[in-house]
Amino acid sequence: MSSINQSRRRLFSRKKNDTVHLPWVKREIEFTDECTRCNKCIQACETGIIIKGDGGFPEVNFSIDECTFCQKCVNACPEPLFTETSVSPWQVTASIQNSCMAYSGIWCQSCKDACDATAISFTMAIGKAPQPHVDITACTGCGACVAPCPSNAIIVMTKPVNPPSCE
């Protein structure tokens, strides 16, 4: 199968919620309708995580680094896409997938070590590697846990509407 067909298949099979656009984007707008793809946010990003995504629209790639919430993308954008930066930057959270090495009995806590918000904790269990848990109320969605994960088991996704209790 040609790479063009594979790219096209990936484009059409991709879920809309898989893409993380920029922090502080107004929730009431359709980002792709308002963004002019000027790339000023990409150039301004201090950690280089804003990339050209599908259709040339900017999106965040946490496999590169984390979002420091520096607001440089907001300040660089000439369009009225953003809310006040005093509110929560976005409604995303880290999610640990089944490919996590801890689920296979391998002791790894690289995600916890990278999490400044201490939103990732591990529960000890007899005869098992400690098991990870994400406190979605504490998770800022910065993505600091994504790049250090050796098994690519962490994704950043839209928070559930009714988050489960972390108790």
Side-chain angles (χ1 to χ4, degrees):
M1 181 180 288
S2 76
S3 62
I4 292 172
N5 288 340
Q6 289 173 340
S7 295
R8 194 173 289 148
R9 179 175 289 163
R10 185 183 56 90
L11 173 67
F12 292 118
S13 67
R14 188 174 185 176
K15 295 177 189 166
K16 186 176 181 181
N17 290 342
D18 288 348
T19 301
V20 176
H21 290 294
L22 310 179
W24 295 291
V25 169
K26 292 177 184 175
R27 292 188 187 119
E28 65 273 8
I29 68 166
E30 183 62 41
F31 181 80
T32 56
D33 289 345
E34 303 293 330
C35 175
T36 61
R37 298 177 273 191
C38 69
N39 297 326
K40 290 181 180 176
C41 57
I42 294 171
Q43 297 160 359
C45 183
E46 72 178 18
T47 56
I49 63 169
I50 302 174
I51 62 166
K52 272 189 181 189
D54 288 341
F57 292 100
E59 61 184 56
V60 175
N61 183 341
F62 291 115
S63 67
I64 297 169
D65 205 345
E66 67 185 280
C67 180
T68 61
F69 305 113
C70 68
Q71 303 175 14
K72 289 181 180 179
C73 57
V74 174
N75 296 330
C77 182
E79 302 303 323
L81 298 173
F82 299 96
T83 62
E84 294 296 319
T85 55
S86 59
V87 298
S88 176
W90 45 30
Q91 294 298 308
V92 296
T93 187
S95 176
I96 300 172
Q97 306 303 294
N98 290 335
S99 58
C100 175
M101 294 185 342
Y103 297 150
S104 298
I106 300 168
W107 190 300
C108 175
Q109 295 185 6
S110 60
C111 56
K112 177 184 172 189
D113 295 341
C115 182
D116 288 339
T118 63
I120 301 175
S121 61
F122 280 77
T123 304
M124 299 299 280
I126 296 174
K128 295 169 58 177
Q131 301 295 290
H133 302 280
V134 177
D135 178 354
I136 63 171
T137 60
C139 180
T140 63
C142 71
C145 55
V146 175
C149 179
S151 61
N152 299 315
I154 303 176
I155 59 170
V156 176
M157 56 185 242
T158 303
K159 287 184 182 182
V161 176
N162 295 315
S165 173
C166 296
E167 298 174 24

